[in-house]
Amino acid sequence: MRKIAVIGSPGSGKSVFSRKLGESLGLPVIHLDRHYWHDGWTPTPQREWDEFLRETVGGQAWIIDGNYTRTLDIRLEAADTVIFLDMPRLLCMYRIVKRRFMYRSKSRPDLNEGCEEKLDADFVKWVWNYRAEVRPKVLEAISVHGENKRTILLGSRKQVRAFLQAEGSRIHIE
């Protein structure tokens, strides 16, 4: 595992999972939200974003976490491992509300300064509908690009903990 794409609904735990996995494996972690969103939640222009992703996946080793389904193929083609955090809807909803209060009036560690944590109706609706609307697209993209790749689907906090524990112990043994 040298090039790992971590995908999942907002609130699935991608950023924390990626950070912990990066620490275990000694790999750099790239949080896509940090690169896509600029001061005041200004998005990166499409052409610039695509160039950034192509350059980033050209690196020798990385963990990239984020959604951005329009450009998911770029990451999946380059990855040797795909990890889909397929967490329950209510857990994701709980986590997005929790982080709204944890980071009220400030930016999360995986975001740029000037992107204060927010929670609006459109975002809540998107997270609520992720399993029905986005998940099928993600699974389809994984099936198209998954040949010759290690694909891991984690559907609970227990599975995430067990995976991180197994990967961490494997690193220490080698």
Side-chain angles (χ1 to χ4, degrees):
M1 289 193 311
R2 301 292 301 157
K3 296 182 176 187
I4 305 167
V6 177
I7 308 158
S9 170
S12 64
K14 294 180 303 295
S15 296
V16 171
F17 174 85
S18 296
R19 183 178 39 79
K20 289 179 179 180
L21 186 60
E23 290 169 2
S24 277
L25 299 176
L27 296 176
V29 177
I30 297 122
H31 301 290
L32 291 182
D33 283 346
R34 176 174 286 220
H35 297 277
Y36 184 77
W37 297 107
H38 303 283
D39 194 33
W41 291 96
T42 305
T44 299
Q46 218 172 57
R47 178 175 280 160
E48 185 181 326
W49 180 243
D50 293 357
E51 288 173 19
F52 165 78
L53 284 174
R54 285 190 182 90
E55 182 180 311
T56 301
V57 300
Q60 290 186 8
W62 40 259
I63 297 173
I64 298 176
D65 81 51
N67 283 298
Y68 303 94
T69 15
R70 184 186 67 77
T71 56
L72 182 57
D73 293 349
I74 294 171
R75 285 170 279 143
L76 294 181
E77 287 173 12
D80 60 36
T81 305
V82 178
I83 301 174
F84 183 28
L85 299 182
D86 194 20
M87 296 296 141
R89 173 192 289 167
L90 290 178
L91 176 62
C92 295
M93 295 298 290
Y94 166 75
R95 286 177 170 170
I96 65 167
V97 170
K98 178 182 170 185
R99 75 182 182 202
R100 169 64 175 96
F101 290 102
M102 282 178 60
Y103 296 104
R104 188 180 59 208
S105 301
K106 58 184 173 182
S107 298
R108 292 191 322 256
D110 57 314
L111 284 171
N112 283 319
E113 289 298 319
C115 293
E116 293 181 358
E117 186 64 29
K118 64 180 183 174
L119 189 65
D120 59 30
D122 288 338
F123 183 64
V124 170
K125 183 179 175 185
W126 190 70
V127 174
W128 184 260
N129 292 324
Y130 184 90
R131 289 188 72 79
E133 295 177 5
V134 181
R135 182 179 184 271
K137 295 174 190 171
V138 169
L139 292 173
E140 174 64 23
I142 290 171
S143 73
V144 167
H145 299 286
E147 194 173 316
N148 302 318
K149 297 183 190 308
R150 183 178 180 196
T151 302
I152 300 153
L153 186 103
L154 301 172
S156 70
R157 290 182 287 193
K158 183 178 179 180
Q159 289 176 350
V160 166
R161 281 191 301 273
F163 178 82
L164 288 171
Q165 194 170 32
E167 288 305 315
S169 65
R170 220 174 270 148
I171 298 306
H172 299 303
I173 292 169
E174 296 178 351

